[in-house]
Amino acid sequence: MSQAPATVSRNHEPARVSIAWRVFTAPTYLGLALIAIHVIDKLWPAAIWFTMPWKMAGWGPILLDCGLCAAGAGHFAKRRTTILPRRDSRVLVTTGVFRWTRNPMYLGMVLLLVGVCVIAGSATVWLAPPLFVLVVDRVLIRGEERMLTERFGDAYRAYGQQTRRWL
């Protein structure tokens, strides 16, 4: 069953997007996931998977997060287009980290969550990263992709065929 193409409203959002896409942003979901990790770790710390000094390994993914987010933001700045997903993109950025993933900053956020989970150490906190991926993928990325398809058409479709959404 195919869907009709999304139309763009006056505020440059695809017409058929969820209320969650309009209200919540990726940093909101990231903040909620970080709070969930903290609360779960404090209230329900099931099996401890990581202890010191292994908890320090969590800083690796966190540093990768910083690199991915900085690289993605740098490519947007270099091409003089917005980093904000709900604003009109001036150009389609497909270079640098965008050659390997269409969403390097979201991927960076997942790495941040993975690093925090390692530092927390308990098994129960590992519910947060896959739940974050599911929500961001279904709520945010799908709406952004509709908007980019509307804006860039075949160029974005070709890019989507060549480059994976995550990795």
Side-chain angles (χ1 to χ4, degrees), residues 18-147:
S18 67
I19 295 207
W21 190 85
R22 291 185 177 131
V23 174
F24 294 105
T25 63
T28 304
Y29 289 117
L30 179 63
L32 290 172
L34 289 168
I35 290 168
I37 289 170
H38 177 74
V39 169
I40 290 168
D41 188 50
K42 296 302 173 208
L43 298 180
W44 302 288
I48 303 300
W49 286 354
F50 299 100
T51 58
M52 289 303 272
W54 298 107
K55 285 185 173 192
M56 297 306 291
W59 287 101
I62 292 171
L63 292 173
L64 283 173
D65 157 58
C66 294
L68 271 175
C69 289
H75 281 284
F76 280 137
K78 184 178 178 181
R79 301 292 305 273
R80 298 185 190 273
T81 192
T82 183
I83 192 171
L84 302 173
R86 296 179 185 137
R87 300 269 170 94
D88 268 344
S89 297
R90 295 178 62 213
V91 294
L92 180 60
V93 180
T94 61
T95 59
V97 291
F98 291 93
R99 286 181 292 172
W100 300 296
T101 175
R102 295 194 314 257
N103 299 289
M105 286 164 277
Y106 291 145
L107 182 58
M109 291 177 191
V110 173
L111 288 171
L112 173 68
L113 292 174
V114 166
V116 170
C117 286
V118 171
I119 291 169
S122 69
T124 47
V125 297
W126 288 91
L127 296 170
L131 195 58
F132 176 82
V133 168
L134 180 69
V135 169
V136 166
D137 188 72
R138 301 289 183 228
V139 175
L140 299 179
I141 292 175
R142 303 295 167 113
E144 291 172 17
E145 287 177 345
R146 283 190 293 272
M147 196 166 83

